[in-house]
């Protein structure tokens, strides 16, 4: 007997027929004698609709009320799955975040889980053989008693955190693909499913744009060593196929130099030309951005020939683009000749623990992109990944080029 958490994403619970299919997956594990806690997302599209309604009601709205509204999608699917399981003869009960409770910080809209009391759920496993169906994406801030949400894609984090809290043997993330691929299979048909991927690589892939798992869920899995298995909910519940295990690096026998390619359109580029070059100028620009909580990612500074001025290029999240430009325009004591910016850029990244021991991995990419006529606007590297910023028009071409370059295309 094992203890399992099974998480089902939005497309997997998009209508009653799909919820019925989910219930069959759950029943299979229950019939095999396992203790099961299920975490569900809202029906696909529902959270977007709820977010849009909040904006329509008032563009600048109270974040506590936003959470009250957007948390509701998961309440519906948790109740519906419990009903469907009961109908199939499986003992089940739904749980909202506050009922467990899943306690979080008060950062409404992107709250962090602080603690989960799984004791009731575990007691009901033993006393009643009952399946717990938990609404994902939500929690409660205890001091205020208010409902919170965990940021978009947050049900993944609910699932992994519940798995850690009830000491589950495994957390199964059921989604609309049958695992983690070498890159987004919707963009590259030649993408391959990975049997295993290390926590560290998955963390980079998620942070750099692979939305298959919320970044925070991978952090929680890594810290609490929760074996996390990404698999398809569209499989035949009687005969499920293999997925991708996210595990320790030591448990992976065959390591590639590059494991995956990720891309993110969530970056905007800002360039300051002819910046008076003197000590302290970088601090004068980046400190105010940091104080405004704007995350600067890539930075390139060019020393111009006259050595008196420099060009400075950096990226910020698209959502902060206008705010960042306003801050720069309002700076005192920093002189420059031109402020330019664009959101038509994409950051393409290659990730692999093998980069630690291989030289020239990024250089190969620069050459391959140049041969395709793709201009690189900015570069960053770290121990197990490198990223390039390019025009968004070239997204697919660049991702496919790097995918082939590093031998990731599947054979057929
Ligand atoms: P869910 O609703 O189940 O949470 P998501 O839409 O959040 O599902 O995540 C699954 C999607 O992630 C897939 O449909 C796929 O297009 C996308 N994706 C992006 N990168 C990858 C990758 N490297 N491997 C698998 N899927 C990926
Ligand atoms: N329903 C939420 C969202 O769409 C949470 C999730 O699906 O993980 O962001
Ligand atoms: Mg998701």
């Amino acid at each position: 007997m094992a203890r399992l958490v099974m998480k089902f994403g939005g497309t997997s619970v998009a209508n009653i027929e799909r919820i019925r299919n989910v219930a069959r997956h759950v029943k299979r594990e229950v019939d095999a004698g396992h203790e099961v806690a299920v975490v569900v997302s809202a029906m696909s599209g529902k959270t977007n609709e709820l977010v849009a309604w909040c904006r329509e009601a008032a563009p600048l709205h109270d974040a506590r009320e936003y959470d009250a509204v957007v948390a509701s999608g998961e309440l519906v699917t948790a109740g519906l799955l419990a009903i469907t399981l009961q109908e199939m003869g499986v003992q089940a009960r739904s749980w909202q975040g506050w009922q467990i409770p899943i306690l979080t910080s008060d950062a409404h809209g992107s709250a962090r889980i602080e603690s989960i009391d799984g004791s009731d759920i575990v007691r009901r496993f033993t006393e009643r053989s009952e399946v717990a169906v938990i609404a994902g994406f939500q929690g409660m801030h205890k001091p205020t008693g208010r409902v919170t949400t965990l940021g978009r894609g947050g049900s993944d984090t609910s699932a992994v955190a519940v798995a850690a809290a009830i000491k589950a043997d495994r957390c199964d993330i059921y989604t609309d693909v049958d695992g983690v691929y070498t890159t987004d299979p919707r963009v590259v048909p030649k993408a391959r499913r990975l049997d295993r991927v290390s926590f560290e690589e998955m963390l980079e892939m998620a942070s750099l744009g692979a939305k298959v798992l919320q970044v925070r869920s991978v952090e929680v899995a890594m810290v609490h060593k929760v074996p996390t298995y990404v698999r398809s909910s569209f499989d035949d519940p009687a005969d499920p196929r293999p997925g991708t295990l996210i595990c320790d690096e030591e448990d992976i026998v065959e390591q590639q130099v590059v494991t995956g390619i990720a891309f993110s359109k969530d970056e905007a580029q800002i360039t300051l030309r002819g910046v008076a070059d003197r000590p302290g100028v970088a601090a004068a620009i980046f400190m105010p951005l940091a104080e405004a909580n704007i995350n600067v990612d890539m930075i390139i500074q060019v020393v111009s020939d006259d050595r008196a001025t420099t060009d400075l290029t950096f990226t910020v999240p698209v959502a902060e683009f206008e705010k960042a430009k306003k801050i720069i325009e309002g700076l005192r004591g920093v002189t420059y000749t031109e402020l330019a910016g664009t959101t038509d850029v994409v950051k393409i990244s290659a990730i692999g623990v093998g980069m630690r021991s291989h030289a020239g991995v990024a250089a190969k990419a620069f050459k391959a992109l140049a041969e395709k006529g793709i201009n690189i606007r900015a570069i960053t590297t770290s121990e197990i990944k490198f990223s390039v910023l390019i025009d968004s028009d070239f997204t697919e071409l660049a991702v496919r080029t790097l995918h082939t370059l590093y031998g990731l295309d599947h054979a057929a």
Side-chain angles (χ1 to χ4, degrees):
M1 184 202 72
R3 183 173 291 170
L4 302 178
V5 170
M6 305 172 75
K7 180 259 171 177
F8 295 91
T11 35
S12 310
V13 294
N15 54 44
I16 301 296
E17 190 40 48
R18 292 210 180 146
I19 290 177
R20 222 168 258 140
N21 194 55
V22 161
R24 290 186 197 110
H25 280 285
V26 175
K27 187 171 187 311
R28 178 191 67 235
E29 303 295 10
V30 171
D31 289 348
H34 303 316
E35 294 176 340
V36 180
V38 185
V39 173
V40 285
S41 291
M43 291 180 177
S44 62
K46 186 38 100 180
T47 310
N48 286 347
E49 184 181 48
L50 296 169
V51 170
W53 283 345
C54 290
R55 290 204 184 118
E56 195 183 329
L60 283 178
H61 43 257
D62 184 331
R64 287 160 294 192
E65 300 311 336
Y66 165 94
D67 275 351
V69 174
V70 301
S72 65
E74 274 71 10
L75 306 184
V76 174
T77 43
L80 287 173
L81 180 57
I83 291 174
T84 313
L85 284 166
Q86 289 170 2
E87 172 74 9
M88 286 182 183
V90 177
Q91 181 94 347
R93 184 60 63 211
S94 72
W95 298 82
Q96 305 187 2
W98 63 271
Q99 289 173 308
I100 291 184
I102 295 176
L103 299 180
T104 74
S105 68
D106 65 350
H108 284 278
S110 58
R112 285 170 79 94
I113 295 178
E114 288 175 347
S115 70
I116 297 180
D117 181 357
S119 55
D120 242 3
I121 289 174
V122 170
R123 189 172 51 74
R124 293 163 83 113
F125 284 156
T126 27
E127 289 179 5
R128 303 165 169 234
S129 302
E130 187 176 275
V131 171
V133 185
I134 301 166
F137 184 49
Q138 57 176 264
M140 180 181 80
H141 177 239
K142 193 160 187 205
T144 56
R146 303 300 313 180
V147 170
T148 53
T149 63
L150 309 178
R152 298 306 305 272
S155 297
D156 296 328
T157 304
S158 309
V160 178
V162 166
I166 65 170
K167 300 195 168 42
D169 296 284
R170 205 175 67 223
C171 181
D172 283 345
I173 306 279
Y174 286 82
T175 181
D176 56 4
V177 272
D178 61 349
V180 177
Y181 277 65
T182 45
T183 192
D184 190 339
R186 285 192 218 179
V187 171
V188 180
K190 286 183 179 165
R192 258 191 300 126
R193 184 181 60 80
L194 296 158
D195 280 329
R196 291 178 174 225
V197 55
S198 68
F199 287 120
E200 231 183 307
E201 287 169 320
M202 193 64 234
L203 190 59
E204 292 285 7
M205 282 175 71
S207 313
L208 295 167
K211 293 216 165 83
V212 59
L213 287 176
Q214 197 197 33
V215 177
R216 183 79 188 120
S217 72
V218 189
E219 282 171 6
V220 176
M222 189 155 121
V223 169
H224 296 280
K225 296 227 174 292
V226 179
T228 303
Y229 196 58
V230 179
R231 53 197 306 189
S232 172
S233 73
F234 295 120
D235 285 350
D236 176 359
D239 185 22
R241 287 170 301 165
T244 301
L245 181 68
I246 302 161
C247 59
D248 274 327
E249 201 177 316
E250 294 80 60
D251 297 329
I252 301 178
V253 187
E254 254 184 79
Q255 269 300 354
Q256 304 280 335
V257 177
V258 171
T259 304
I261 312 290
F263 57 93
S264 166
K265 294 189 178 163
D266 191 34
E267 309 254 334
Q269 176 189 334
I270 294 180
T271 297
L272 285 170
R273 290 192 218 287
V275 183
D277 198 12
R278 56 173 175 74
V281 71
I285 292 168
F286 293 120
M287 282 303 286
L289 294 173
E291 279 156 15
N293 262 328
I294 296 177
N295 221 339
V296 174
D297 180 21
M298 309 172 107
I299 301 176
I300 292 193
Q301 183 177 334
V302 186
V303 178
S304 43
D305 287 342
D306 62 9
R307 301 215 166 243
T309 62
T310 181
D311 290 351
L312 193 63
T313 291
F314 56 92
T315 63
V316 297
V318 168
E320 311 281 11
F321 180 55
E322 293 301 331
K323 188 169 150 195
K325 277 202 304 188
K326 282 215 175 62
I327 290 174
I328 304 283
E329 281 162 1
L331 289 180
R332 290 178 184 194
V334 179
T335 54
Y336 52 86
T337 53
E338 188 193 347
L339 168 63
T342 174
T343 54
D344 293 332
V345 288
V346 61
K347 183 172 71 174
I348 315 261
S349 309
I351 299 107
V353 288
M355 282 190 209
R356 285 198 200 110
S357 47
H358 287 77
V361 180
K364 263 173 80 177
F366 305 154
K367 182 159 177 276
L369 294 173
E371 281 166 7
K372 299 276 181 194
I374 300 173
N375 186 39
I376 299 173
R377 293 162 168 256
I379 302 169
T380 51
T381 66
S382 71
E383 206 187 20
I384 66 161
K385 58 107 179 161
F386 71 85
S387 306
V388 293
L389 190 75
I390 62 167
D391 282 5
S392 57
D393 285 349
F394 295 115
T395 307
E396 288 191 26
L397 179 62
V399 173
R400 288 179 186 175
T401 300
L402 298 192
H403 199 265
T404 306
L405 178 73
Y406 295 116
L408 300 175
D409 292 354
H410 66 60

